[in-house]
Amino acid sequence: MTDRPLTMTDRKEGPEGDASVITKTKPKTQRPPMYKVLLLNDDYTPMEFVVHILERFFGLSHAQSFEIMLTVHKKGLAVVGVFSYEVAETKVAQVMDFSRRHQHPLQCTMEKE
């Protein structure tokens, strides 16, 4: 069968002479689940380092990064962004690796939206 629109010639006669139309159904695709990337507060990581992380790995402006850093500081955690599983997983790994290499205990996690 071709991918052309159905026409009157695409009708088939049923066993009792009544006409039925062939219909095509398209499979429904679902959006992949999204994941929130969260930064958690600690008492040791400098605020400037958190701002740098947000600018470097999440592409945020200095003002946006500063605002999120203050939210993490005051509320204990903040959502930094929402991404597909693979992107969220990569961002968490990048932040954790960068923090460890600079000897900071900053925690970054992800959870399903």
Side-chain angles (χ1 to χ4, degrees):
M1 187 163 206
T2 63
D3 289 334
R4 61 179 174 76
L6 297 175
T7 64
M8 292 299 285
T9 57
D10 291 325
R11 294 167 39 136
K12 288 191 176 181
E13 293 292 324
E16 297 169 5
D18 47 334
S20 59
V21 177
I22 300 171
T23 59
K24 285 177 136 181
T25 57
K26 286 188 176 184
K28 287 189 176 181
T29 55
Q30 289 185 336
R31 287 186 156 278
M34 300 300 277
Y35 291 80
K36 297 185 277 190
V37 174
L38 306 145
L39 276 184
L40 308 176
N41 189 39
D42 64 70
D43 294 331
Y44 304 102
T45 304
M47 292 178 173
E48 298 81 23
F49 185 78
V50 175
V51 170
H52 178 71
I53 290 273
L54 294 167
E55 291 172 344
R56 179 173 178 158
F57 296 108
F58 297 93
L60 300 173
S61 70
H62 186 76
Q64 291 170 315
S65 298
F66 191 81
E67 193 172 316
I68 290 173
M69 177 275 299
L70 283 179
T71 302
V72 171
H73 181 69
K74 291 177 183 176
K75 296 188 177 182
L77 73 129
V79 175
V80 181
V82 180
F83 307 96
S84 67
Y85 180 83
E86 291 80 11
V87 173
E89 185 178 49
T90 300
K91 299 247 184 228
V92 168
Q94 288 174 327
V95 170
M96 295 296 289
D97 181 56
F98 191 77
S99 296
R100 296 304 160 266
R101 281 191 282 127
H102 289 84
Q103 301 177 343
H104 294 298
L106 182 65
Q107 292 293 307
C108 185
T109 62
M110 60 188 262
E111 66 181 40
K112 201 168 187 176
E113 188 176 40

